[in-house]
Amino acid sequence: MTISTIKATFTASALALTAAMPAFAQTTLSAEEEAIKAAVEADYDAQINFLEKITNINSGTRNLEGVRAVGREFDTEFKALGFDTRWIDMPEGMDRAGHFDASYNAGDGKSVLLIGHLDTVFPKDSPFQTFERDGDRVTGPGVVDMKAGDVIVLYALKALKATGHLDRGSYRVIFTGDEESTGKPLSVSRKDLIEAGKASDFALNFEGGSDGMAVIGRRGSSNWSLETTGKRAHSSGVFSDDVGAGAVFEMSRILNRFYGEVRGEHGLTFNPGVLAGGTFITEGENASTQTAFGKTNVVAQKAVVHGGLRFMSEEQKERARAKMREIVADHLPGTSATITFEDSYPAMQEGPENTRMLGVMSDVNVALGMGPITAYPPSRRGAADVSFVAPHTPSMDGLGAFGGAGHTPDEWLDLSKQKFATTRAAIFLYRLMREE
């Protein structure tokens, strides 16, 4: 590469970067923002006490009363802030508690949707039940995923209210009760969330936080099921014109071609999570439990696989599905196969408005004494509730609490960052709601 080529490349990159940056980056705090920061700090002890209270209420997804009990605690707090609140019940047969919904309309201005979830992965009989503090380290069920994130939403809004800055636009808060095990059908369990997203100018999700990265893109997630059949016969006849290859060979053919021909696009993955094959297959309570019976001297009559598919965009998902269907249709002798797909979480695609919000958050981060914020690679992020609204409105995630070991008995929260995360959320909202 010549010197002139290097200079040209550098100049083009610099111009592109400059074009993506705000014209006037605000990397210091205004007097109003200093007051918001002070309000968060003044309420900090109350915030931690409230977090301890709700962490000590078991709200495993299937503990419906526990999820509702956490919702009632937030209901009291949001009503005191002047929000209108309601509980969104789910149909009885869905076995899900429902969702907490709060709204506040201060008049003209932008509308924002703030997203969290009340449920955890820890059931009522889990031995991991209580909030335990050791200095700035807290352990507890769901403390970081994501009760501390929900509390950040509440206390950021409290700080805005206390400083007189909850005075324009409209705020909608939805804390779902089944994020960890989403109720089906999705058209029912996510109906209100999607409608709220469509009615909002932007949406923010308060899952796990970081002082260096945020989420403006996520992969989508869906499921697939594959069933193959063969002719049940004595194994001495396998491969013959009368018997053919059997169900297990047909399944092996398909999975091997999936691996060789569907794999390869950036961010696309598909995983056959459970497989059974033999003479008879018995399905348990759900697709995760399969029991097979077969014999080594009998050609397999049936095989089933249930798997997951993750994708960067709807277009990538449909390309993968089309290729999978094509492969499935090319049967071995004496066999048949069918594949079905089930949609779950759509992809959250990066876009210019998401990138612009990332820049605003980065400025806030710097103003609070931290470094700039960059985007998590979407291929490294799983699905979340924000994915349901992302196709309808600019969206961002990663605004929540700092900690780790989620979904395990070692789940922990870094309290030393909770005040910062709440302050950042409050000032970020303040700036977004006042943009022209």
Side-chain angles (χ1 to χ4, degrees):
M1 183 179 289
T2 65
I3 295 297
S4 60
T5 303
I6 293 172
K7 287 182 177 179
T9 302
F10 176 81
T11 301
S13 299
L15 288 172
L17 179 61
T18 301
M21 293 174 64
F24 301 100
Q26 185 182 344
T27 54
T28 58
L29 296 182
S30 66
E32 293 82 2
E33 291 167 348
E34 290 284 4
I36 292 169
K37 181 173 181 282
V40 170
E41 291 170 352
D43 235 2
Y44 179 67
D45 288 341
Q47 179 182 164
I48 302 310
N49 290 338
F50 183 73
L51 175 60
E52 179 174 5
K53 183 178 185 179
I54 62 170
T55 302
N56 285 333
I57 301 172
N58 179 279
S59 58
T61 308
R62 300 300 179 90
N63 178 6
L64 309 192
E65 181 48 40
V67 173
R68 294 185 187 113
V70 175
R72 285 193 292 272
E73 296 297 332
F74 279 104
D75 185 78
T76 299
E77 296 292 326
F78 275 96
K79 279 180 177 172
L81 267 179
F83 278 66
D84 295 321
T85 66
R86 66 175 181 141
W87 186 259
I88 304 170
D89 283 311
M90 292 293 104
E92 186 175 344
M94 190 179 285
D95 193 28
R96 296 297 187 274
H99 315 310
F100 172 73
D101 184 2
S103 58
Y104 184 95
N105 189 346
D108 294 339
K110 294 187 176 182
S111 58
V112 60
L113 172 63
L114 308 174
I115 304 169
H117 67 85
L118 305 171
D119 64 318
T120 77
V121 300
F122 301 97
K124 288 178 70 173
D125 59 358
S126 168
F128 188 46
Q129 291 284 359
T130 58
F131 181 103
E132 301 287 345
R133 181 172 181 177
D134 182 7
D136 281 332
R137 186 183 178 92
V138 166
T139 58
V143 70
V144 75
D145 185 15
M146 65 167 289
K147 290 181 177 179
D150 298 336
V151 170
I152 286 170
V153 173
L154 172 62
Y155 279 83
L157 294 172
K158 279 177 177 278
L160 292 176
K161 180 78 175 215
T163 53
H165 296 306
L166 207 64
D167 59 348
R168 68 168 69 179
S170 60
Y171 297 80
R172 182 84 176 269
V173 177
I174 294 185
F175 292 162
T176 61
D178 61 349
E179 196 270 352
E180 300 293 4
S181 180
T182 313
K184 300 295 189 297
L186 294 172
S187 59
V188 175
S189 67
R190 289 302 176 267
K191 175 178 178 290
D192 294 274
L193 182 66
I194 292 169
E195 288 181 352
K198 290 178 178 179
S200 300
D201 291 316
F202 59 97
L204 304 176
N205 196 42
F206 286 79
E207 290 266 17
S210 164
D211 58 15
M213 302 185 87
V215 178
I216 57 172
R218 286 182 178 274
R219 291 195 296 173
S221 174
S222 67
N223 299 317
W224 53 277
S225 297
L226 175 62
E227 180 176 317
T228 62
T229 58
K231 184 176 180 179
R232 181 180 173 186
H234 195 285
S235 64
S236 62
V238 71
F239 311 140
S240 69
D241 291 341
D242 290 338
V243 176
V248 169
F249 269 121
E250 172 69 346
M251 181 65 76
S252 301
R253 173 197 71 82
I254 293 170
L255 295 180
N256 186 59
R257 285 188 60 185
F258 281 1
Y259 184 83
E261 300 176 35
V262 183
R263 185 174 57 97
E265 285 194 33
H266 173 67
L268 177 69
T269 59
F270 45 92
N271 178 57
V274 58
L275 181 153
T279 307
F280 303 110
I281 307 296
T282 303
E283 187 167 307
E285 292 184 1
N286 53 58
S288 299
T289 306
Q290 305 286 332
T291 303
F293 170 82
K295 300 184 71 176
T296 58
N297 61 353
V298 178
V299 176
Q301 180 175 246
K302 184 177 179 180
V304 295
V305 163
H306 297 291
L309 174 70
R310 295 183 181 268
F311 47 90
M312 299 287 285
S313 67
E314 292 299 301
E315 293 78 12
Q316 186 183 63
K317 179 190 77 175
E318 291 303 328
R319 283 196 301 273
R321 287 181 173 184
K323 186 61 179 178
M324 292 167 85
R325 291 187 184 102
E326 176 187 323
I327 291 168
V328 167
D330 187 21
H331 308 303
L332 290 177
T335 68
S336 64
T338 58
I339 190 167
T340 58
F341 297 95
E342 178 188 34
D343 282 328
S344 185
Y345 288 81
M348 175 184 177
Q349 292 185 250
E350 293 182 344
E353 282 300 300
N354 295 15
T355 303
R356 188 193 60 76
M357 286 198 295
L358 180 71
V360 176
M361 182 177 174
S362 184
D363 288 348
V364 174
N365 219 57
V366 173
L368 290 171
M370 300 294 181
I373 294 284
T374 58
Y376 271 107
S379 59
R380 289 170 45 194
R381 307 308 300 170
D385 273 338
V386 70
S387 300
F388 290 107
V389 305
H392 309 292
T393 191
S395 302
M396 192 171 172
D397 198 357
L399 292 160
F402 291 64
H407 293 200
T408 78
D410 298 315
E411 183 173 351
W412 63 277
L413 169 70
D414 183 355
L415 276 186
S416 71
K417 295 291 184 69
Q418 187 72 3
K419 193 183 300 180
F420 162 76
T422 308
T423 301
R424 181 174 68 180
I427 295 173
F428 185 41
L429 273 172
Y430 172 79
R431 291 190 181 186
L432 289 177
M433 296 299 278
R434 275 158 177 73
E435 284 183 326
E436 296 299 329

